[in-house]
Amino acid sequence: MTLWGGAFSEPTDDDLRALNDSIGFDRRMYAQDIAGSIAYAQAIAQAGIITGEESASIVQGLQKVLQEFEAGAFTLKPGDEDIHTAVERRLTELVGPAGGKLHTGRSRNDQVATDFRLWVLDAIEEIQARLVGLQVALVEQAGKHIQTLMPGYTHLQPAQPITAAHWLMSFFWMLARDVERLDDCRRRTSVCPLGSGALAGTPFLIDREKLAQELGFTAITANSLDAVSDRDFAAEFLFGLALAGTHLSRLAEDIILYSNPLFGYITLNDRYSTGSSLMPQKRNADPMELARGKTGRLIGNLTGLLTTLKGLPSTYNKDLQEDKEAVFDSFDSLTRLLPVVTAIILTLQLNPQRMQAALTEDMLATDVADYLVKKGLPFRQAHRVVGEVVRLAAEQSITLSQMPLATLRGISDLFGEDVRAVFDFQQSVARRVAPGGPAPEAVIKQIQLAQDWLNTRTHG
Ligand code: ARG
């Protein structure tokens, strides 16, 4: 029997039921649904709608239902359309007619909006903790490679020498923004819709502020029509996860490239790479490919929800039931991915000699231009002069430093014997000490900033 069948003379068609039911996926909100109902039972008792005894027996019954879920002992029955109907059905079995009073002034519309917000609030916490875990791993690995030189790229072309720590730390800051973005999402999610009824509020004078506080929300919704149909928090959460995934995907792409034998900058730990069933030499970065691949899903889930929302008339529509699987899927994808990515970063073996060997003197062309600037040449002209030097060196198949001083002076008489000192990768990097730069000195400060950031996260 359904909970809403009073006006219906025929039972629901089986195929419709299979389509309509959401219990298959929304049962994972059982704890939030029960918490919401416990708080609601107390609120309607305080408003004088049910007696203190009725409220107490409802609360007790709900605690029993919670235990059943927790012990895996909850049995679904036909008609348990979603988590809300299932919990209420079982409650009524346990406590009798008092159970039937719980839903006074409440609708599944404000109920589901409340449950889902509570669930997303917990999920934000969980994702943030895992993101921070990865950030800690990045700092740890970066700490080992403050002096390790490697090529930095733009357009995937070797550009300028940097330090490996600097490369790793670049991802720390992307993730820091992801964590902070979720703080922002939390602020707008932590608003309680309960007391909005189906759409038009409730005539019962329940203390919505107190109810919200009881459930751990920081505010109450201001408009019942908006309250039952607002899924912005879910879209924001999905966006936050999609963008975090996008960052992981970029990290993954670097690791895939750098672990390719052509680069050989890093070797993946045996535990976190896979072989080929056919080609014995292969060491594939499968988990990183999954990080890149799963991001497609994360973006898809966001796009899917936005598409669902965009044409909805006011207020609640059943379309909204489509919100949960997207959110659960993105959450599950990311919570499965993050520990593996974190372990990969922690166990990453960097190969400094391979990184160093990939540095070529043309990556110092900017340094040569800077040298000329220090001799008084405007940068634009210096750029042109060095361009000529680079071309000549390529024509003669020699490196920049192999070019005789006389030839250099033929191009610009600003070149002197001291230009030799420019051809030193370590010095090139060490000069880039401005805050945010790759010099070991600057990276040490950057890591300190990162640690401060982490400290404010973990100690308030
Ligand atoms: N399972 C529904 C959902 O997830 C609950 C709300 C149902 N409300 C309704 N009026 N049919 O959206």
Side-chain angles (χ1 to χ4, degrees), residues 22 26 82 84 108-109 112 316 321 324:
S22 55
D26 67 16
D82 52 25
H84 327 293
R108 277 186 295 158
N109 297 353
V112 71
Y316 178 85
Q321 184 168 283
K324 278 166 234 63

Side-chain angles (χ1 to χ4, degrees), residues 4 20-23 25-26 29 81-85 107-113 116 198 228 231 316-324:
W4 41 261
N20 195 54
D21 288 1
S22 55
I23 186 71
F25 50 86
D26 67 16
M29 301 196 304
E81 191 180 316
D82 52 25
I83 186 62
H84 327 293
T85 50
S107 156
R108 277 186 295 158
N109 297 353
D110 57 349
Q111 191 180 356
V112 71
F116 197 27
V228 296
R231 293 296 183 274
Y316 178 85
N317 296 270
K318 186 74 167 187
D319 314 43
L320 289 177
Q321 184 168 283
E322 292 294 311
D323 58 1
K324 278 166 234 63

